[in-house]
Amino acid sequence: MTALALSPRRLGTTGPEVFPLGLGCMGMSDLYGPADRTESIATLHAALDAGVTLLDTGDFYGMGHNELLIAEALKGRARENVVLSVKFGALRDPAGNWIGYDARPQAVKTALAYTLKRLGVDYIDIYRPARLDPVVPIEETVGAIADMVQAGYVRHIGLSEVGAETIRRAAAVHPISDLQIEYSLISRGIEDGILETCRDLGIGITAYGVLSRGLISGHYQASGAASDFRAHSPRFQGENVAENLKLVEALRQVAQARGASVAQVAIAWVAAQGADILPLVGARRRDRLAEALGSLNVTLDAAALAAIEAAIPKGAAKGERYAAAQMEMLDSERTGA
């Protein structure tokens, strides 16, 4: 990897410096079908050994399982070498069903207490509500996290999947390090005002779904598992998935011409959209992690970027990224810019 590729990225003007790729850990516990615990731990170790610093999780990933898994992987590791990014607020029942959000100040502090215990740490680097609570003003939620910053339990405050107005309201209460939001070649809604707002305010972007949950990875195969939420996502259904995979084949031609894989080009494209953008990769296996790390060796010049745009033009994807009920929960989609 080149020195340039390995240059750290800062999450906004107030956030931490991190390795130029982050690891999203959700799939090791939830939502993509069965995961291999041993391989998950090995993948976490491989990521840390490769220099990856940011690990992203949520207290509702496997109802605490993901935090416990990360805690196990971090045993014997220096705490200061890891940036833990944690989402909270999503409510689930014992069967794993989604039953709403709770971002009231007292819920914020209770959730944080449990997260600290499960992860076995004294502080969380970046703490963020997973979604906007429709009945709790964002000022109250951010204010509660700010109390925890003052008390030393949280270092930075982040946001997730919120629109420009909410971002501005939150930033007026306390500096925001980064906005976590889906961003990929086939999910580019952030470009319609949200990215500009974040840049105006000095807020970084942590981009998840850079491979659109495997759809544009070049490796996609339906798992068939009942627990794989992609079976209910419009982009993965019927004619939509067939049309979307045609886009992937067009991208494959661009990638092969440059000696890279589809996934590497897709990740590199997100990284190329700005030094203030940190791609999160959701690798659950060491081979997929190694492939993702290889994206750091991919240089996209103007010709390459034009070829990628021609292969997958903005708005080319068929189907929404979530089912209609879930789309309604996204402040980032509801409010647009």
Side-chain angles (χ1 to χ4, degrees), residues 217 219 261-264 267 286-295:
S217 68
H219 305 296
S261 72
V262 173
Q264 288 168 344
I267 297 166
R286 284 168 286 181
D287 59 339
R288 295 289 190 251
L289 172 67
E291 181 182 25
L293 289 169
S295 69

Side-chain angles (χ1 to χ4, degrees), residues 105-330:
Q106 56 267 54
V108 170
K109 296 174 183 180
T110 299
L112 176 61
Y114 281 98
T115 279
L116 291 168
K117 184 66 68 174
R118 282 189 293 262
L119 283 167
V121 296
D122 297 326
Y123 65 91
I124 300 302
D125 296 277
I126 310 171
Y127 202 52
R128 69 182 86 239
R131 297 287 187 268
L132 178 67
D133 188 324
V135 298
V136 178
I138 191 63
E139 291 87 349
E140 293 184 15
T141 301
V142 170
I145 307 174
D147 290 344
M148 297 295 91
V149 172
Q150 185 67 29
Y153 296 117
V154 172
R155 294 283 172 86
H156 305 281
I157 301 178
L159 298 171
S160 178
E161 288 289 358
V162 291
E165 179 186 354
T166 302
I167 293 166
R168 292 188 182 280
R169 288 169 54 194
V173 175
H174 188 278
I176 303 298
S177 64
D178 65 311
L179 170 69
Q180 187 174 114
I181 193 166
E182 186 167 355
Y183 190 30
S184 73
L185 278 164
I186 63 172
S187 294
R188 296 174 61 174
I190 184 178
E191 295 174 359
D192 299 328
I194 291 175
L195 181 56
E196 180 183 4
T197 297
C198 286
R199 286 176 169 163
D200 285 347
L201 297 172
I203 296 170
I205 299 294
T206 300
Y208 76 89
V210 293
L211 298 179
S212 196
R213 298 169 176 82
L215 183 59
I216 59 171
S217 68
H219 305 296
Y220 176 69
Q221 291 182 325
S223 72
S227 58
D228 189 335
F229 90 102
R230 291 173 294 187
H232 309 288
S233 169
R235 285 189 179 166
F236 292 85
Q237 294 177 351
E239 293 182 2
N240 285 348
V241 71
E243 291 299 314
N244 290 333
L245 290 175
K246 289 179 183 178
L247 299 175
V248 177
E249 290 311 305
L251 185 62
R252 194 185 303 277
Q253 300 304 311
V254 177
Q256 289 178 342
R258 286 157 179 80
S261 72
V262 173
Q264 288 168 344
V265 167
I267 297 166
W269 180 88
V270 173
Q273 302 313 301
D276 54 348
I277 299 173
L278 175 74
L280 275 184
V281 295
R284 301 196 293 171
R285 297 171 5 203
R286 284 168 286 181
D287 59 339
R288 295 289 190 251
L289 172 67
E291 181 182 25
L293 289 169
S295 69
L296 297 174
N297 291 324
V298 177
T299 300
L300 300 177
D301 58 16
L305 291 169
I308 292 168
E309 188 76 26
I312 306 184
K314 183 176 181 178
K318 302 297 183 183
E320 298 286 0
R321 54 193 180 111
Y322 290 105
Q326 292 172 301
M327 289 294 288
E328 282 297 313
M329 298 176 185
L330 296 176

Side-chain angles (χ1 to χ4, degrees), residues 51-68:
V52 172
T53 48
L54 187 138
L55 301 180
D56 181 77
T57 185
D59 60 13
F60 48 91
Y61 292 168
M63 281 66 82
H65 176 276
N66 204 238
E67 291 177 324
L68 293 169

